[in-house]
Amino acid sequence: MAAADAALPWAAQCAGMALFASSFCLVALALVLMLLRRWPWCSCHVCRAYLTGSWARDFTNLGDWYAHLLRESPTGTVHVHVLGCTVTANPANVEYMLKTNFDNFPKGKTFAALLGDLLGGGIFNVDGHAWRHQRKMASLELGSVAVRSYAFGIIAQEVEARLMPLLAAAADASAVVDLQDVFRRFAFDTICKISFGLDLGCLELDMPVSKLADAFDTATRLCAMRGAASSPLLWRAKRLLNVGSERELREAIKLVDELAAAMIRERRKLGVANSHDLLSRFMASAGAGDEHHDVDDKYLRDIVVSFLLAGRDTVSSALTTLFMLLSKNPAVAAAMRAEAGGDGGDSEAPLTFEQLKRLDYTHAVLYENMRLFPPVQFDSKFCAGPDVLPDGTYVSGGTRVMYHPYAMGRMPRIWGTNHGAFRPDRWLTGEGGSFVPESLYKYPVFQAGLRVCLGKELAVTEMKAVAVAVVRAFDVQVVGDSGSAACAPKFVSGLTASISGGLPVRISRRVPS
């Protein structure tokens, strides 16, 4: 009897090893079959360039290669067969996907699988009823005068009490700082206060490290790598075996989950009554009979992660590329300073919300920056059923369709022959040189149609507040290769644009005139 008991663990181990080996062989066989089906039988130059990485010989970023392909295409649309993807920079196609035939171009189950481990059932990763409910809630809250006033108060406080003293200290020490890191910390603190009513203090002068911010960075980077894989079997196999990048992703998401849960518990301790932060207002909707939607901890966790993605990375990305461009175009910074009514110095009071709204030239500078360097360089939908795009492109059901704001900003058929130039005045076409926006289908930086960004006005206000405060008080000079007028920034893989190696700058105080 004892011998039989001793043999059981050994037998179980053998069975487990056999099951593991058979699972591994099955996944490997499926992967080989997928590759045989798609390549090398697909011998087009686009697929071969993507698979071999040969595009990198001529282009700094994958987005620049896509822009080249789309400029060369008569329709502004190309197919990347090995990805099962159609890529477009045609405004008519964008409008068709995001508005005209919206229901046939959902996020789709494939996209939900790519980002589901991180975003869960958050607004950026769902369709149908779940999406409509969250959008309705977010629209009501972000449209509230009380919430907007509360948010602007936090932004103004973060700029004056933390960002400006930190930059002043760097200027006085003649230190080189990574402005991308500074803006990430600023945006992280700001969105945590606005969304959750909590202060993580990432932008204190000693620049403390946030475990949540680091885990979130890792998770978004690795989720983006999934989307870039030539076959989903690659990352699915690694997830099944819990190895490599998928193991790292699982550990990062586990930490995000733990810290998000802690934030929710803390918010409950503080109470949600009469609180203006967005998490409190979502929590207060529980039990109110709002379309019978349960507000449990999993739902709130997904809300937390969605707010972080929307409010931190996009704002910090846009501010980083803005000051990279201003360093190369000092006349633009001078014009912004003149419009804001100042030439530096500590005596100048911060601008009010109403004053910021009237800064048309600064508004144009922000939009021109995001035309060239959109924080989200591309977005994907999935064609639910066979369809034909307005440019005549046939799309079969289940195909991934990507519209590409980064490439669209570099299309001469949209922006003219000077599409590559940084020219804020292209937006000042209204009476007296006032700001006039372009169609969102030509400029889908904030998406467009039914999924247009609800936080657009808040994000623009935040960027204006930072940009004006910094250019009035400081000169910011990029050092290293990123400061060269001829050098294009190199972006790392991620859900939002992030400059590889950061943006090292030297800051100096402006002398009041």
Side-chain angles (χ1 to χ4, degrees):
M1 186 71 179
D5 289 342
L8 281 176
W10 179 85
Q13 289 176 15
C14 289
M17 292 175 64
L19 179 62
F20 175 83
S22 62
S23 298
F24 181 83
C25 291
L26 183 62
V27 170
L29 176 61
L31 179 59
V32 169
L33 290 174
M34 174 66 78
L35 291 176
L36 286 174
R37 182 170 69 87
R38 287 189 170 178
W39 188 77
W41 307 118
C42 177
S43 59
C44 75
H45 71 284
V46 173
C47 291
R48 288 191 178 277
Y50 185 87
L51 284 169
T52 63
S54 62
W55 61 265
R57 291 198 296 263
D58 301 309
F59 301 95
T60 304
N61 300 291
L62 186 62
D64 295 313
W65 178 60
Y66 277 130
H68 164 74
L69 295 176
L70 293 165
R71 281 194 300 268
E72 295 292 311
S73 167
T75 61
T77 302
V78 297
H79 299 288
V80 186
H81 308 104
V82 74
L83 294 178
C85 182
T86 296
V87 187
T88 188
N90 188 318
N93 291 346
V94 176
E95 183 172 7
Y96 185 76
M97 293 163 55
L98 301 185
K99 178 186 175 184
T100 309
N101 204 15
F102 174 81
D103 290 338
N104 199 41
F105 292 91
K107 286 287 185 180
K109 292 181 180 179
T110 304
F111 185 91
L114 284 172
L115 301 182
D117 293 333
L118 175 62
L119 298 184
I123 190 171
F124 299 115
N125 205 44
V126 291
D127 295 299
H129 171 74
W131 170 73
R132 287 192 297 271
H133 170 78
Q134 291 186 51
R135 187 168 179 87
K136 177 183 176 182
M137 286 291 301
S139 179
L140 289 172
E141 302 306 339
L142 289 170
S144 160
V145 173
V147 169
R148 288 187 177 187
S149 176
Y150 166 78
F152 181 72
I154 288 173
I155 291 167
Q157 181 184 32
E158 285 293 307
V159 170
E160 293 304 315
R162 283 184 172 159
L163 179 62
M164 298 302 282
L166 189 148
L167 296 180
D172 294 342
S174 297
V176 173
V177 297
D178 179 0
L179 200 58
Q180 178 169 261
D181 181 53
V182 169
F183 285 145
R184 276 182 175 171
R185 291 167 180 269
F186 166 81
F188 192 72
D189 279 354
T190 302
I191 196 61
C192 284
K193 280 189 174 182
I194 292 172
S195 297
F196 320 128
L198 302 174
D199 184 6
L200 299 189
C202 293
L203 203 62
E204 297 286 359
L205 286 176
D206 58 353
M207 300 279 274
V209 174
S210 166
K211 290 183 180 179
L212 177 57
D214 280 357
F216 194 73
D217 281 342
T218 299
T220 55
R221 174 176 56 83
L222 295 175
C223 281
M225 287 174 58
R226 283 179 170 181
S230 58
S231 169
L233 288 175
L234 294 172
W235 65 264
R236 288 182 184 277
K238 288 196 289 185
R239 184 172 67 170
L240 176 66
L241 301 174
N242 194 29
V243 296
S245 60
E246 286 296 316
R247 180 173 184 174
E248 186 182 2
L249 175 61
R250 183 172 296 180
E251 292 172 351
I253 291 175
K254 180 182 178 182
L255 185 54
V256 169
D257 290 346
E258 292 172 353
L259 294 170
M263 295 172 78
I264 293 167
R265 287 195 301 270
E266 182 65 19
R267 187 64 264 170
R268 283 204 173 102
K269 286 180 184 178
L270 296 173
V272 301
N274 301 316
S275 297
H276 292 302
D277 65 274
L278 296 174
L279 180 60
S280 292
R281 295 171 81 94
F282 267 85
M283 292 171 76
S285 71
D290 188 357
E291 300 182 11
H292 307 290
H293 196 100
D294 295 327
V295 182
D296 56 15
D297 280 6
K298 172 63 170 63
Y299 173 76
L300 294 174
R301 176 266 179 210
D302 295 343
I303 295 293
V304 166
V305 173
S306 295
F307 283 152
L308 287 176
L309 181 65
R312 186 196 77 144
D313 290 359
T314 52
V315 168
S316 62
S317 173
L319 286 172
T320 300
T321 54
L322 171 65
F323 279 91
M324 179 190 70
L325 287 172
L326 292 181
S327 175
K328 300 174 184 179
N329 297 271
V332 174
M336 290 172 62
R337 216 160 18 244
E339 181 185 50
D343 192 33
D346 296 334
S347 62
E348 292 175 0
L351 299 189
T352 66
F353 177 75
E354 290 301 320
Q355 288 173 321
L356 287 174
K357 282 176 65 176
R358 293 194 291 269
L359 300 181
D360 278 26
Y361 183 78
T362 297
H363 205 111
V365 172
L366 293 177
Y367 267 57
E368 180 70 349
N369 164 55
M370 290 186 289
R371 179 184 72 83
L372 292 170
F373 300 110
V376 179
Q377 296 188 347
F378 64 88
D379 190 24
S380 296
K381 311 297 181 188
F382 280 83
C383 188
D387 210 334
V388 178
L389 301 178
D391 66 3
T393 300
Y394 172 78
V395 183
S396 59
T399 298
R400 178 183 177 187
V401 186
M402 178 196 301
Y403 69 91
H404 211 292
Y406 183 89
M408 293 178 76
R410 289 159 171 75
M411 297 292 283
R413 68 189 74 176
I414 300 176
W415 300 102
T417 55
N418 64 355
H419 61 87
F422 178 57
R423 284 192 52 194
D425 59 302
R426 76 173 77 237
W427 299 88
L428 302 175
T429 58
E431 184 178 352
S434 58
F435 174 85
V436 177
E438 263 289 0
S439 162
L440 290 180
Y441 304 109
K442 293 182 179 180
Y443 182 80
V445 170
F446 296 100
Q447 294 211 44
L450 298 180
R451 279 190 181 262
V452 68
C453 177
L454 294 172
K456 171 185 169 183
E457 300 305 325
L458 179 60
V460 170
T461 299
E462 183 174 352
M463 289 186 282
K464 271 188 176 179
V466 171
V468 169
V470 174
V471 299
R472 292 171 86 193
F474 303 106
D475 285 322
V476 178
Q477 188 62 48
V478 177
V479 299
D481 291 341
S482 296
S484 168
C487 184
K490 181 175 176 59
F491 295 100
V492 296
S493 175
L495 300 180
T496 53
S498 177
I499 297 176
S500 177
L503 188 72
V505 302
R506 196 176 299 280
I507 299 168
S508 56
R509 290 181 183 265
R510 289 192 57 79
V511 179
S513 57

